[in-house]
């Protein structure tokens, strides 16, 4: 038996490849992390390195994740290669007992380290673990082109983006009734963007990174990928509407959105509606 036959690794690899096939991961763009369940750690442990990597400072403190294990894409690695050689392009990283350091216990056999966005992911995993009582395990960042395009033309506010995305496809208020948060442009991989995103993750599952992409959280691979896919498809519809050159003549109104919410039993953030 190979570690690659474990269901959580199969799901992770499939999600990485699905994202590449969508065109969201040019070169080494994007990153994906997964907080492993205890039984998954136990199943993977026989395949861990005889000698784990050295302990390395995370750069942020995440005591709420002490002792946890994460699947992560590698820094500088290409999503298109994950399905071809997982052992060289992804890794399992262990967080120490203080939440200040990590070490690689499996993967990146050809060398390397977890994604440069690892501190951002961990800060946000810590928040989502707390606010969802441990339900959320996946955090996904991708370079979704239509959404990025909208960050050049829409006001960079939670309300503006939530309204446009909800109104562009009828299922959107059901898929992400909490709306989306927006982070103005920041240098990726740094402490500032990690902090700004973690503040939004207190109440949103989706953060728009201006001129950069999307950052999504969810309980499993299917739901998180589906969330990313739905947001990007809605953005693409709006981009096509704008490209028609006629302006928006009719749309789903705020009252229509409220009616959808009542019918499907979801709660929309009223402050994001007119």
């Amino acid at each position: 038996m190979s570690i690659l036959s474990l269901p959580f690794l199969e799901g992770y690899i499939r999600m990485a490849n699905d994202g590449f096939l969508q065109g969201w991961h040019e070169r080494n763009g994007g990153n994906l992390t997964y907080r492993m369940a205890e039984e998954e750690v136990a199943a993977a442990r026989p395949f861990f390195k005889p000698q784990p990597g050295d302990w390395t400072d995370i750069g942020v403190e995440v005591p709420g994740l002490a002792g946890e294990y994460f699947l992560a894409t590698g820094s500088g690695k290409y999503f298109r290669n994950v399905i071809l050689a997982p052992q060289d392009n992804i890794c399992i990283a262990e967080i120490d007992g203080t939440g200040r350091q990590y070490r690689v216990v499996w993967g990146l056999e050809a060398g390397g380290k977890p994604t440069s966005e690892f501190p951002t992911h961990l800060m946000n995993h810590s928040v989502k673990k707390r606010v969802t009582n441990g339900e959320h395990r996946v955090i996904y960042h991708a370079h979704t082109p239509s959404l990025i395009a909208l960050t050049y033309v829409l006001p960079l506010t939670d309300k503006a983006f939530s309204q446009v995305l909800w109104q562009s496809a009828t299922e959107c208020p059901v898929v992400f009734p909490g709306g989306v948060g927006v982070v103005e442009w920041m240098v990726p991989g740094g402490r500032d963007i990690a902090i700004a995103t973690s503040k939004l993750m207190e109440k949103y599952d989706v953060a728009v990174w201006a001129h950069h992409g999307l950052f999504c959280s969810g309980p499993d691979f299917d739901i998180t990928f589906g969330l990313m896919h739905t947001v990007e498809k809605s953005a693409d519809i709006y981009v096509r509407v704008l490209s028609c050159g006629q302006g928006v003549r009719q749309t789903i109104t705020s009252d229509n959105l409220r009616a959808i919410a009542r019918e499907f039993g979801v709660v929309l953030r009223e402050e994001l509606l007119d």
Side-chain angles (χ1 to χ4, degrees):
M1 182 178 178
S2 163
I3 189 173
L4 300 180
S5 65
L6 296 177
F8 75 93
L9 253 169
E10 290 181 336
Y12 181 98
I13 292 167
R14 177 192 175 191
M15 181 169 169
N17 194 58
D18 284 347
F20 169 70
L21 294 176
Q22 288 294 325
W24 300 341
H25 299 285
E26 76 294 336
R27 203 172 180 271
N28 62 317
N31 26 72
L32 173 63
T33 56
Y34 171 68
R35 183 170 60 85
M36 296 166 59
E38 290 183 7
E39 61 272 19
E40 293 167 338
V41 175
R45 194 177 296 279
F47 304 98
F48 286 177
K49 299 173 183 287
Q51 293 295 326
D54 295 334
W55 288 109
T56 302
D57 287 340
I58 297 170
V60 297
E61 295 184 13
V62 284
L65 301 178
E68 297 267 20
Y69 290 78
F70 289 85
L71 261 176
T73 42
S75 179
K77 305 299 184 181
Y78 292 21
F79 265 61
R80 70 186 298 268
N81 292 331
V82 170
I83 197 170
L84 301 176
Q87 71 281 355
D88 293 334
N89 293 283
I90 64 177
C91 67
I92 296 175
E94 176 189 5
I95 309 302
D96 75 353
T98 68
R100 295 190 182 100
Q101 295 183 311
Y102 75 87
R103 63 179 179 180
V104 173
V105 298
W106 176 85
L108 295 177
E109 297 298 330
K113 59 184 180 180
T115 170
S116 62
E117 297 279 6
F118 200 42
T120 302
H121 278 245
L122 291 179
M123 282 191 70
N124 287 279
H125 271 291
S126 183
V127 169
K128 299 310 285 188
K129 179 184 176 183
R130 172 171 50 80
V131 300
T132 69
N133 294 316
E135 180 184 2
H136 278 210
R137 293 186 174 274
V138 182
I139 284 184
Y140 183 31
H141 167 51
H143 298 168
T144 43
S146 295
L147 190 284
I148 294 170
L150 290 186
T151 68
Y152 289 89
V153 297
L154 290 181
L156 295 176
T157 66
D158 302 356
K159 184 172 183 177
F161 270 82
S162 296
Q163 282 195 0
V164 160
L165 294 169
W166 281 342
Q167 291 172 336
S168 294
T170 297
E171 74 275 12
C172 286
V174 180
V175 175
F176 49 101
V180 304
V182 180
V183 178
E184 293 190 0
W185 187 88
M186 292 183 177
V187 175
R191 183 178 179 85
D192 289 346
I193 195 170
I195 293 172
T197 308
S198 66
K199 289 179 180 177
L200 290 180
M201 284 285 148
E202 293 280 350
K203 60 178 181 177
Y204 298 116
D205 293 337
V206 183
V208 175
W209 282 357
H211 322 316
H212 186 164
L214 268 175
F215 194 86
C216 292
S217 172
D220 60 34
F221 299 122
D222 283 346
I223 290 174
T224 312
F225 185 86
L227 177 59
M228 180 82 71
H229 201 184
T230 303
V231 172
E232 170 61 6
K233 187 170 186 179
S234 183
D236 185 60
I237 291 169
Y238 194 70
V239 167
R240 295 184 191 206
V241 170
L242 295 180
S243 72
C244 292
Q246 303 299 311
V248 177
R249 294 187 176 181
Q250 56 272 328
T251 189
I252 303 170
T253 67
S254 288
D255 283 342
N256 294 153
L257 293 171
R258 293 183 180 100
I260 294 170
R262 287 194 299 270
E263 182 68 23
F264 285 88
V266 298
V267 179
L268 299 179
R269 291 189 183 278
E270 190 63 30
E271 68 268 22
L272 300 177
L273 297 171
D274 290 329

